[in-house]
Amino acid sequence: DGTFAGTVIYLCEHTEKGALGLVINKPIDIKLKNLFEKVELSLTRDDLAEAPVYFGGPVQTERGCVLHGRLSDAARPYSSTLAIPGGGLDMTTSKDVLEALSHGAGPKKILVTLGYSGWGAGQLEDELGRNGWLTVDAQAAVIFDTPIEQRYDRALALLGIDPRMLSQEAGHA
């Protein structure tokens, strides 16, 4: 699928009902300062103003998701936050995280997407079974500390794969 060719998706939730993930390496032509203006908030954090907003996936592209560092259970200040198992990150979909950021508070490292990637019950398992995806344990450094254009290669390197050795063509033995 051309939508997902060369993408790195951070899987946020995977249950018997389906799966949800965010594309972390496809920026769109919107900067965070512009997104904040659209929702009538100011962004006082200069470190975030020029950060890109990402295409999170083709589902509900008008909906924003904020991927950020884990919040302690005692300090869950946002109304809609999903603690992502195993990755040490949280995903917040409520506007209150943007309001906190507009006041100079909120999470230190963030990645904001419009839309998300979703799979129905059993769909992701089927795609994995057909070798439609490569999987690797998540590393926050790939998301927050690696330049965008290097995230795909860095994720593949975690598997010991050199992307130059991959081919879109199938052969016959």
Side-chain angles (χ1 to χ4, degrees):
D1 181 348
T3 303
F4 293 109
T7 62
V8 179
I9 297 178
Y10 184 78
L11 197 60
C12 299
E13 185 173 48
H14 188 194
T15 69
E16 67 280 347
K17 295 179 182 177
L20 178 146
L22 301 175
V23 175
I24 63 160
N25 68 325
K26 300 287 181 178
I28 57 177
D29 291 333
I30 300 174
K31 302 292 183 197
L32 276 179
K33 66 180 177 183
N34 304 117
L35 178 69
F36 274 68
E37 289 168 1
K38 287 183 187 262
V39 295
E40 299 178 357
L41 292 172
S42 61
L43 182 58
T44 59
R45 286 186 48 189
D46 292 336
D47 62 316
L48 297 177
E50 293 299 316
V53 175
Y54 293 79
F55 167 75
V59 182
Q60 293 186 347
T61 55
E62 73 287 349
R63 184 178 185 136
C65 300
V66 180
L67 189 61
H68 55 85
R70 171 74 29 93
L71 302 170
S72 70
D73 288 335
R76 293 231 180 260
Y78 313 120
S79 60
S80 183
T81 297
L82 171 69
I84 302 166
L89 300 179
D90 288 342
M91 181 186 70
T92 299
T93 57
S94 51
K95 187 178 176 182
D96 50 359
V97 69
L98 299 180
E99 291 168 347
L101 290 164
S102 76
H103 298 302
K108 297 299 176 210
K109 293 184 177 185
I110 65 168
L111 184 140
V112 178
T113 73
L114 290 178
Y116 64 90
S117 302
W119 295 265
Q123 183 181 1
L124 182 57
E125 292 83 353
D126 180 60
E127 291 178 14
L128 288 167
R130 290 185 284 114
N131 295 317
W133 296 99
L134 297 173
T135 60
V136 63
D137 288 337
Q139 289 189 0
V142 173
I143 300 166
F144 298 120
D145 302 328
T146 302
I148 298 162
E149 64 279 359
Q150 295 175 19
R151 291 178 187 170
Y152 180 74
D153 291 351
R154 178 94 184 268
L156 287 174
L158 293 172
L159 290 171
I161 296 173
D162 181 340
R164 296 173 297 174
M165 303 305 286
L166 295 176
S167 172
Q168 296 280 339
E169 304 300 318
H172 300 282

